[in-house]
Amino acid sequence: MTQNGIEDDFRGPTTGIGRVYSPTCGKIDRDMGAVAAALLDMDGAARGKHPLNSFATVGPDARALVGGQTALDVYAPIRELAGRGGNILLMGVGLEAMTALHAAEELAGRRLFRRWANGPDGNATAVAVGDCSRGSALSTRC
């Protein structure tokens, strides 16, 4: 069976061959910016377990907010935040780039895309991800 043009049993190479993500690695994509990097450097910061789209938090409930995130449950931190009555602050981007849109798509029944990343054991593993927000109906940048 295929989804998104990829065979379910495909175990091909990933772009980060040799790199294995862990919540304690401290590395982020440069595109995430200075705020995300500074957050990871703060005492008490916690990070989710998704190898491509980990969420990071800081504060007394940090671990509880990101603790449910897995490779196949990328948006668990957003659901946890919503369940606690939390808010999302956008800085320098519009609604078309808000990651929570993908959580809403999933809640509405959309099956997330599957991509491949190195798992904790270094082997390729399937991970769930949303699509590019810039490709949404709200965006004119794609």
Side-chain angles (χ1 to χ4, degrees), residues 70-125:
T70 66
L72 294 176
D73 193 1
V74 62
Y75 301 120
I78 291 176
R79 289 193 313 275
E80 183 66 26
L81 179 67
R84 292 167 176 251
N87 296 298
I88 295 173
L89 172 66
L90 299 176
M91 296 175 19
V93 297
L95 291 174
E96 75 279 358
M98 183 175 62
T99 301
L101 288 175
H102 303 311
E105 291 172 336
E106 185 178 28
L107 183 63
R110 181 181 182 276
R111 188 170 173 201
L112 296 177
F113 289 100
R114 293 290 190 266
R115 295 233 162 70
W116 298 94
N118 294 324
D121 60 0
N123 292 316
T125 187

Side-chain angles (χ1 to χ4, degrees), residues 26-87:
K27 295 182 180 184
I28 64 167
D29 189 312
R30 294 180 70 200
D31 292 340
M32 294 305 297
V35 173
L39 181 115
L40 285 179
D41 284 338
M42 296 176 77
D43 287 337
R47 195 166 180 186
K49 297 175 188 149
H50 196 281
L52 298 179
N53 298 111
S54 65
F55 284 83
T57 60
V58 68
D61 294 334
R63 296 208 188 290
L65 284 167
V66 297
Q69 188 180 45
T70 66
L72 294 176
D73 193 1
V74 62
Y75 301 120
I78 291 176
R79 289 193 313 275
E80 183 66 26
L81 179 67
R84 292 167 176 251
N87 296 298

Side-chain angles (χ1 to χ4, degrees), residues 15 102 116 134 141:
T15 58
H102 303 311
W116 298 94
R134 288 177 280 163
R141 295 182 297 190

